[in-house]
Amino acid sequence: MSDSNDAPVTLAGIARIAGVGRAAVSNWRRRHVSFPMPVGGTDTSPQFSLAEVERWLYAHGKIERIGLRERLWPHYEALGDRAVMGAALAEVGRRLLAGTGADQAAPEHSLLPDEAARVMNETVDVARYEGERETFTFLLTRWLDAHVRQVGTTPAPLARLMADIALAVRAEERWGADGRITVLDPACGVGGLLLAAGEGMAERSADAGPGTTALIGTELDPVLAALAEVRLGFADAEEGSGVVRIEAGDSLRADPNDGVRADIVLCNPPFNARDWGHEELATDPRWVYGLPPRTEPELAWIEHALARLAPGGVAVLLLPPAVASRRAGRRIRGALLRTGALQGVVALPAGAAQPHSVSLQLWILRMPVSEGGAASGERLFLLDAATSHGATRGAQGIDWPQLTSRVLDAVRAYDWSGERKAGAGKQLPEGSVTVPVVDLLNEQTDLTPARHVPETAVEAQAKLHESWGRLGGLLDEVRDHSQSLAAIDLSAGSEALSTITVSDLHRAHALKLQQGQTLPSELLHGDALPDGAVPALSVPDLVLGGQPGGWLARAEAERGASIGSFTVAEPGDVVVAGVERAYRVWVQEDTPLVLGPQLYALRPDPGVLDPWFLAGCLRASANARQAGSHTSSSARIDVRKLQVLQLALVEQRPYAAAFRELLALEESLRSVASVGEALVRSLGDGLAAGKLHSLRP
């Protein structure tokens, strides 16, 4: 590409081109005065000329050449808008597929800008040398990585696991004589689940003879739908054994695939989407198991999936863990169990998919083979793989081969046939059980596997070993903090130092005082915190354990903070709970925090006040007593009356260090108590159950 077609590239883009980390690129900028100057962007995120960067990298021996695909991506980034980038990439895919002879009609019209047309033409030229599918897949991966917060995807190993579960549950004898199968994903995104199903069916056909597969998807976002159609089109063009049909539309409100009856439904539905059409769909015939509550959109997707299944068809959905236990969904969970529509629940390790902080679940459902018949016997299959060996928190901590083997071994050991009776089938592996449905139909109808699957001996011992190690580490922390704090001499200061109130500091602009506000329930979510969300804290949360009880979408939090309807404590702010029963003071670290009523954010001027010094002064018990107001049963603390020592910033530093060490000691002691209590309980339960194998003298 010539300089006339130059494009801006970021530091991250330069690092990818050169095959190094971003820190190395920053180091080049500092060390080499000849490094290209920014041509745009901001101080924190500068942009550089791709042509100038390419010449510099080549001249300094950092690269031999930039790959043609790598040179394409900055031009897509320069298009700016996510939808424009995606639409351009989808159009490129259509053109490339047309060149392979696949049945892909060109769009009737295009709203893409002229710059996008030039980039598309260059992409087609590059693909002739680099490979059509390889070029499209490379650019799609970059596009998804760049918009990971806006475009959710199912990780490829998890998608394949879901497809393999469906294929295992859908017993071989129930396939048609010609081996034809229809797979539907009603929220297909860029087609990852359908792609995995196609791969699984292709492998099955190689073993069981030729067959055909219809891959059908629906996606609300037309750009994602177009990308999914192209992505699956490339796979079909190579394997030539199926039909691909992707429709853009709203599966819940106006399903364009209403007439489809699929053998398999795979779905990773959007979580916590409150605006799913509850009111307008109140009389919809799909709600055979009950009208899903407005706050339970995942149950709507479950019933939609069942409505699209053919007799004997299997659905596997990826769902948040709260769906198994929330009180609002108890009635529908009970109906799914009584009718046999719900076959099993599998708990996955945290990190298997977004949101990575929670243990998601796979729900396995099936339609009756004959109308009016039961889909299963009298038991529910439960597998707790959340503690799978080798799986640690975070996407990079999942041992996918081990997890896949464990789940599929348990699924294949279970008799999923409609003739199954209670207790029939092979011996299930450890970590999986079948539970009589009648035992689950109680006040909670809690289907969380961990509540019903007994802990294996290996898992119990591993947890004990981990707890002992953690306790030892915490005791070392306590010892280190104690030695540091024990050196403090409190008898040195004889003169009483003057103090100043928070109110006076606020008036002097030494700090900014903001009071938390009531959070609108329609914007506040109570489920597991997803990536990119802003946690919300209230005084009841502090009373019940100290962790935020809800969250807001980042866009809503930022908008509310900008217009003054929300109070957001930023990292470095001091947060004060102005209620005596929950009085706490801390320095907010790491992430922003939306504050509810009776919580206060104090933002100190860093040139006047050290935040740790401020927090240490405010948290003194005597300080809280003198600022307390007992005029009501709530016993509030008047934060404005709290006292702070009057010291110069340089004199605050030693106090700040001591306060910080003291708070660290307090946190370590609290953790020691928590871990120790759990360890004593677990060890005592094991001994009481007769599991003692050795005792050292």
PDB file of all heavy atoms in Angstrom, residues 35 73 98 132 178 238 274 288 324 368 372 394 420 431 451 524 533 561 575 600 606 652 696:
ATOM      1  N   PHE A  35      12.239   8.098  15.966  1.00  0.00           N
ATOM      2  CA  PHE A  35      10.945   7.406  15.927  1.00  0.00           C
ATOM      3  C   PHE A  35       9.874   8.382  15.440  1.00  0.00           C
ATOM      4  O   PHE A  35       9.855   9.549  15.829  1.00  0.00           O
ATOM      5  CB  PHE A  35      10.577   6.876  17.310  1.00  0.00           C
ATOM      6  CG  PHE A  35       9.444   5.888  17.297  1.00  0.00           C
ATOM      7  CD1 PHE A  35       9.699   4.537  17.137  1.00  0.00           C
ATOM      8  CD2 PHE A  35       8.130   6.307  17.427  1.00  0.00           C
ATOM      9  CE1 PHE A  35       8.652   3.615  17.119  1.00  0.00           C
ATOM     10  CE2 PHE A  35       7.083   5.399  17.400  1.00  0.00           C
ATOM     11  CZ  PHE A  35       7.348   4.041  17.248  1.00  0.00           C
ATOM     12  N   TRP A  73      -5.209  -4.053   8.424  1.00  0.00           N
ATOM     13  CA  TRP A  73      -6.013  -3.760   9.606  1.00  0.00           C
ATOM     14  C   TRP A  73      -6.026  -2.277   9.999  1.00  0.00           C
ATOM     15  O   TRP A  73      -7.101  -1.746  10.338  1.00  0.00           O
ATOM     16  CB  TRP A  73      -5.565  -4.622  10.788  1.00  0.00           C
ATOM     17  CG  TRP A  73      -6.315  -4.276  12.038  1.00  0.00           C
ATOM     18  CD1 TRP A  73      -5.814  -3.768  13.192  1.00  0.00           C
ATOM     19  CD2 TRP A  73      -7.732  -4.361  12.232  1.00  0.00           C
ATOM     20  NE1 TRP A  73      -6.812  -3.536  14.102  1.00  0.00           N
ATOM     21  CE2 TRP A  73      -8.005  -3.885  13.530  1.00  0.00           C
ATOM     22  CE3 TRP A  73      -8.797  -4.767  11.431  1.00  0.00           C
ATOM     23  CZ2 TRP A  73      -9.292  -3.832  14.051  1.00  0.00           C
ATOM     24  CZ3 TRP A  73     -10.086  -4.719  11.946  1.00  0.00           C
ATOM     25  CH2 TRP A  73     -10.324  -4.256  13.239  1.00  0.00           C
ATOM     26  N   ALA A  98     -18.220 -15.103  -3.489  1.00  0.00           N
ATOM     27  CA  ALA A  98     -18.719 -15.140  -4.864  1.00  0.00           C
ATOM     28  C   ALA A  98     -17.637 -15.649  -5.806  1.00  0.00           C
ATOM     29  O   ALA A  98     -17.920 -16.355  -6.783  1.00  0.00           O
ATOM     30  CB  ALA A  98     -19.191 -13.758  -5.297  1.00  0.00           C
ATOM     31  N   GLU A 132      -8.481 -16.474   0.722  1.00  0.00           N
ATOM     32  CA  GLU A 132      -9.742 -15.783   0.983  1.00  0.00           C
ATOM     33  C   GLU A 132     -10.220 -15.972   2.425  1.00  0.00           C
ATOM     34  O   GLU A 132     -10.453 -15.011   3.156  1.00  0.00           O
ATOM     35  CB  GLU A 132     -10.837 -16.276   0.007  1.00  0.00           C
ATOM     36  CG  GLU A 132     -10.694 -15.776  -1.402  1.00  0.00           C
ATOM     37  CD  GLU A 132      -9.755 -16.641  -2.220  1.00  0.00           C
ATOM     38  OE1 GLU A 132      -9.159 -17.593  -1.654  1.00  0.00           O
ATOM     39  OE2 GLU A 132      -9.610 -16.370  -3.429  1.00  0.00           O
ATOM     40  N   ASP A 178     -31.385 -40.341   6.564  1.00  0.00           N
ATOM     41  CA  ASP A 178     -30.399 -39.700   5.688  1.00  0.00           C
ATOM     42  C   ASP A 178     -29.351 -38.924   6.465  1.00  0.00           C
ATOM     43  O   ASP A 178     -28.449 -38.332   5.878  1.00  0.00           O
ATOM     44  CB  ASP A 178     -31.103 -38.764   4.700  1.00  0.00           C
ATOM     45  CG  ASP A 178     -31.898 -37.666   5.413  1.00  0.00           C
ATOM     46  OD1 ASP A 178     -31.959 -37.709   6.670  1.00  0.00           O
ATOM     47  OD2 ASP A 178     -32.453 -36.787   4.732  1.00  0.00           O
ATOM     48  N   GLU A 238     -15.890 -24.939   1.863  1.00  0.00           N
ATOM     49  CA  GLU A 238     -14.806 -25.927   1.932  1.00  0.00           C
ATOM     50  C   GLU A 238     -15.330 -27.343   2.118  1.00  0.00           C
ATOM     51  O   GLU A 238     -14.816 -28.292   1.545  1.00  0.00           O
ATOM     52  CB  GLU A 238     -13.853 -25.576   3.076  1.00  0.00           C
ATOM     53  CG  GLU A 238     -13.026 -24.328   2.814  1.00  0.00           C
ATOM     54  CD  GLU A 238     -11.968 -24.109   3.884  1.00  0.00           C
ATOM     55  OE1 GLU A 238     -11.867 -24.968   4.795  1.00  0.00           O
ATOM     56  OE2 GLU A 238     -11.255 -23.101   3.822  1.00  0.00           O
ATOM     57  N   ARG A 274     -33.164  -6.444  30.124  1.00  0.00           N
ATOM     58  CA  ARG A 274     -34.493  -6.240  30.700  1.00  0.00           C
ATOM     59  C   ARG A 274     -35.529  -5.852  29.646  1.00  0.00           C
ATOM     60  O   ARG A 274     -36.707  -6.159  29.781  1.00  0.00           O
ATOM     61  CB  ARG A 274     -34.419  -5.170  31.793  1.00  0.00           C
ATOM     62  CG  ARG A 274     -33.446  -5.487  32.929  1.00  0.00           C
ATOM     63  CD  ARG A 274     -33.852  -6.747  33.683  1.00  0.00           C
ATOM     64  NE  ARG A 274     -32.904  -7.100  34.717  1.00  0.00           N
ATOM     65  CZ  ARG A 274     -32.966  -6.669  35.968  1.00  0.00           C
ATOM     66  NH1 ARG A 274     -33.930  -5.842  36.328  1.00  0.00           N
ATOM     67  NH2 ARG A 274     -32.072  -7.053  36.854  1.00  0.00           N
ATOM     68  N   VAL A 288     -45.282 -21.801  27.264  1.00  0.00           N
ATOM     69  CA  VAL A 288     -45.962 -23.011  27.713  1.00  0.00           C
ATOM     70  C   VAL A 288     -45.710 -23.257  29.197  1.00  0.00           C
ATOM     71  O   VAL A 288     -46.563 -23.794  29.910  1.00  0.00           O
ATOM     72  CB  VAL A 288     -45.487 -24.216  26.879  1.00  0.00           C
ATOM     73  CG1 VAL A 288     -46.058 -25.520  27.420  1.00  0.00           C
ATOM     74  CG2 VAL A 288     -45.861 -24.032  25.419  1.00  0.00           C
ATOM     75  N   ALA A 324     -30.624 -20.386  37.958  1.00  0.00           N
ATOM     76  CA  ALA A 324     -30.926 -21.639  38.650  1.00  0.00           C
ATOM     77  C   ALA A 324     -31.527 -21.426  40.027  1.00  0.00           C
ATOM     78  O   ALA A 324     -32.056 -22.379  40.614  1.00  0.00           O
ATOM     79  CB  ALA A 324     -29.659 -22.488  38.774  1.00  0.00           C
ATOM     80  N   PRO A 368     -40.352 -33.512  24.128  1.00  0.00           N
ATOM     81  CA  PRO A 368     -40.842 -34.895  24.105  1.00  0.00           C
ATOM     82  C   PRO A 368     -40.754 -35.482  22.707  1.00  0.00           C
ATOM     83  O   PRO A 368     -40.923 -34.786  21.707  1.00  0.00           O
ATOM     84  CB  PRO A 368     -42.297 -34.762  24.559  1.00  0.00           C
ATOM     85  CG  PRO A 368     -42.361 -33.462  25.297  1.00  0.00           C
ATOM     86  CD  PRO A 368     -41.351 -32.575  24.650  1.00  0.00           C
ATOM     87  N   GLY A 372     -47.277 -34.782  23.954  1.00  0.00           N
ATOM     88  CA  GLY A 372     -47.889 -35.132  25.224  1.00  0.00           C
ATOM     89  C   GLY A 372     -47.060 -36.074  26.063  1.00  0.00           C
ATOM     90  O   GLY A 372     -47.380 -36.344  27.205  1.00  0.00           O
ATOM     91  N   GLY A 394     -10.517 -16.704  35.471  1.00  0.00           N
ATOM     92  CA  GLY A 394     -10.039 -16.020  34.284  1.00  0.00           C
ATOM     93  C   GLY A 394      -9.991 -16.932  33.081  1.00  0.00           C
ATOM     94  O   GLY A 394      -9.811 -18.146  33.182  1.00  0.00           O
ATOM     95  N   ARG A 420     -35.704 -44.004  30.213  1.00  0.00           N
ATOM     96  CA  ARG A 420     -34.906 -44.102  31.436  1.00  0.00           C
ATOM     97  C   ARG A 420     -35.797 -44.130  32.678  1.00  0.00           C
ATOM     98  O   ARG A 420     -36.774 -43.395  32.781  1.00  0.00           O
ATOM     99  CB  ARG A 420     -33.961 -42.897  31.529  1.00  0.00           C
ATOM    100  CG  ARG A 420     -33.037 -42.938  32.729  1.00  0.00           C
ATOM    101  CD  ARG A 420     -32.155 -41.701  32.781  1.00  0.00           C
ATOM    102  NE  ARG A 420     -32.891 -40.535  33.226  1.00  0.00           N
ATOM    103  CZ  ARG A 420     -33.168 -39.499  32.457  1.00  0.00           C
ATOM    104  NH1 ARG A 420     -32.807 -39.504  31.216  1.00  0.00           N
ATOM    105  NH2 ARG A 420     -33.824 -38.468  32.929  1.00  0.00           N
ATOM    106  N   GLY A 431     -18.475 -36.062  40.797  1.00  0.00           N
ATOM    107  CA  GLY A 431     -18.820 -34.692  40.449  1.00  0.00           C
ATOM    108  C   GLY A 431     -20.125 -34.568  39.713  1.00  0.00           C
ATOM    109  O   GLY A 431     -20.581 -33.453  39.441  1.00  0.00           O
ATOM    110  N   ARG A 451     -25.109 -27.321  45.053  1.00  0.00           N
ATOM    111  CA  ARG A 451     -25.971 -27.583  46.207  1.00  0.00           C
ATOM    112  C   ARG A 451     -26.397 -29.047  46.287  1.00  0.00           C
ATOM    113  O   ARG A 451     -26.938 -29.478  47.306  1.00  0.00           O
ATOM    114  CB  ARG A 451     -27.206 -26.686  46.156  1.00  0.00           C
ATOM    115  CG  ARG A 451     -26.884 -25.205  46.247  1.00  0.00           C
ATOM    116  CD  ARG A 451     -28.138 -24.382  46.424  1.00  0.00           C
ATOM    117  NE  ARG A 451     -27.854 -22.960  46.477  1.00  0.00           N
ATOM    118  CZ  ARG A 451     -27.434 -22.306  47.554  1.00  0.00           C
ATOM    119  NH1 ARG A 451     -27.251 -22.967  48.678  1.00  0.00           N
ATOM    120  NH2 ARG A 451     -27.201 -21.010  47.516  1.00  0.00           N
ATOM    121  N   LEU A 524     -30.528  -0.408  37.744  1.00  0.00           N
ATOM    122  CA  LEU A 524     -29.668  -1.155  38.655  1.00  0.00           C
ATOM    123  C   LEU A 524     -29.856  -2.650  38.447  1.00  0.00           C
ATOM    124  O   LEU A 524     -30.975  -3.158  38.482  1.00  0.00           O
ATOM    125  CB  LEU A 524     -29.987  -0.786  40.104  1.00  0.00           C
ATOM    126  CG  LEU A 524     -29.046  -1.314  41.181  1.00  0.00           C
ATOM    127  CD1 LEU A 524     -27.665  -0.725  41.021  1.00  0.00           C
ATOM    128  CD2 LEU A 524     -29.603  -0.989  42.564  1.00  0.00           C
ATOM    129  N   ALA A 533     -18.768  -3.217  33.618  1.00  0.00           N
ATOM    130  CA  ALA A 533     -19.826  -2.590  34.414  1.00  0.00           C
ATOM    131  C   ALA A 533     -19.219  -1.860  35.613  1.00  0.00           C
ATOM    132  O   ALA A 533     -18.066  -2.075  35.983  1.00  0.00           O
ATOM    133  CB  ALA A 533     -20.827  -3.631  34.876  1.00  0.00           C
ATOM    134  N   ALA A 561     -23.187  10.464  36.147  1.00  0.00           N
ATOM    135  CA  ALA A 561     -22.177  11.286  36.824  1.00  0.00           C
ATOM    136  C   ALA A 561     -22.022  12.639  36.141  1.00  0.00           C
ATOM    137  O   ALA A 561     -21.817  13.667  36.799  1.00  0.00           O
ATOM    138  CB  ALA A 561     -20.847  10.547  36.858  1.00  0.00           C
ATOM    139  N   VAL A 575     -13.951   7.132  50.611  1.00  0.00           N
ATOM    140  CA  VAL A 575     -15.380   6.850  50.751  1.00  0.00           C
ATOM    141  C   VAL A 575     -15.705   6.709  52.236  1.00  0.00           C
ATOM    142  O   VAL A 575     -14.993   6.026  52.979  1.00  0.00           O
ATOM    143  CB  VAL A 575     -15.774   5.571  50.001  1.00  0.00           C
ATOM    144  CG1 VAL A 575     -17.276   5.311  50.130  1.00  0.00           C
ATOM    145  CG2 VAL A 575     -15.387   5.679  48.526  1.00  0.00           C
ATOM    146  N   TYR A 600     -20.556   8.778  51.123  1.00  0.00           N
ATOM    147  CA  TYR A 600     -19.957  10.042  50.700  1.00  0.00           C
ATOM    148  C   TYR A 600     -18.623   9.779  50.010  1.00  0.00           C
ATOM    149  O   TYR A 600     -17.858   8.903  50.428  1.00  0.00           O
ATOM    150  CB  TYR A 600     -19.739  10.970  51.902  1.00  0.00           C
ATOM    151  CG  TYR A 600     -21.011  11.340  52.630  1.00  0.00           C
ATOM    152  CD1 TYR A 600     -21.575  10.468  53.554  1.00  0.00           C
ATOM    153  CD2 TYR A 600     -21.652  12.551  52.385  1.00  0.00           C
ATOM    154  CE1 TYR A 600     -22.745  10.786  54.227  1.00  0.00           C
ATOM    155  CE2 TYR A 600     -22.818  12.881  53.055  1.00  0.00           C
ATOM    156  CZ  TYR A 600     -23.362  11.994  53.961  1.00  0.00           C
ATOM    157  OH  TYR A 600     -24.529  12.330  54.610  1.00  0.00           O
ATOM    158  N   PRO A 606      -4.626  16.541  45.538  1.00  0.00           N
ATOM    159  CA  PRO A 606      -3.366  15.840  45.814  1.00  0.00           C
ATOM    160  C   PRO A 606      -2.230  16.761  46.219  1.00  0.00           C
ATOM    161  O   PRO A 606      -1.238  16.307  46.788  1.00  0.00           O
ATOM    162  CB  PRO A 606      -3.065  15.124  44.490  1.00  0.00           C
ATOM    163  CG  PRO A 606      -3.835  15.875  43.447  1.00  0.00           C
ATOM    164  CD  PRO A 606      -5.063  16.384  44.139  1.00  0.00           C
ATOM    165  N   GLN A 652       2.287  14.839  56.329  1.00  0.00           N
ATOM    166  CA  GLN A 652       1.236  13.833  56.240  1.00  0.00           C
ATOM    167  C   GLN A 652       1.776  12.480  55.794  1.00  0.00           C
ATOM    168  O   GLN A 652       1.205  11.433  56.114  1.00  0.00           O
ATOM    169  CB  GLN A 652       0.155  14.283  55.251  1.00  0.00           C
ATOM    170  CG  GLN A 652      -0.617  15.525  55.654  1.00  0.00           C
ATOM    171  CD  GLN A 652      -1.564  15.974  54.543  1.00  0.00           C
ATOM    172  OE1 GLN A 652      -1.983  15.177  53.701  1.00  0.00           O
ATOM    173  NE2 GLN A 652      -1.897  17.267  54.540  1.00  0.00           N
ATOM    174  N   ARG A 696      -0.430 -37.209  61.678  1.00  0.00           N
ATOM    175  CA  ARG A 696       0.984 -37.131  62.047  1.00  0.00           C
ATOM    176  C   ARG A 696       1.112 -36.998  63.557  1.00  0.00           C
ATOM    177  O   ARG A 696       0.393 -36.224  64.190  1.00  0.00           O
ATOM    178  CB  ARG A 696       1.633 -35.933  61.364  1.00  0.00           C
ATOM    179  CG  ARG A 696       1.661 -36.050  59.850  1.00  0.00           C
ATOM    180  CD  ARG A 696       2.240 -34.809  59.225  1.00  0.00           C
ATOM    181  NE  ARG A 696       2.239 -34.902  57.774  1.00  0.00           N
ATOM    182  CZ  ARG A 696       2.621 -33.918  56.972  1.00  0.00           C
ATOM    183  NH1 ARG A 696       3.051 -32.782  57.490  1.00  0.00           N
ATOM    184  NH2 ARG A 696       2.580 -34.079  55.668  1.00  0.00           N
TER     185      ARG A 696
END
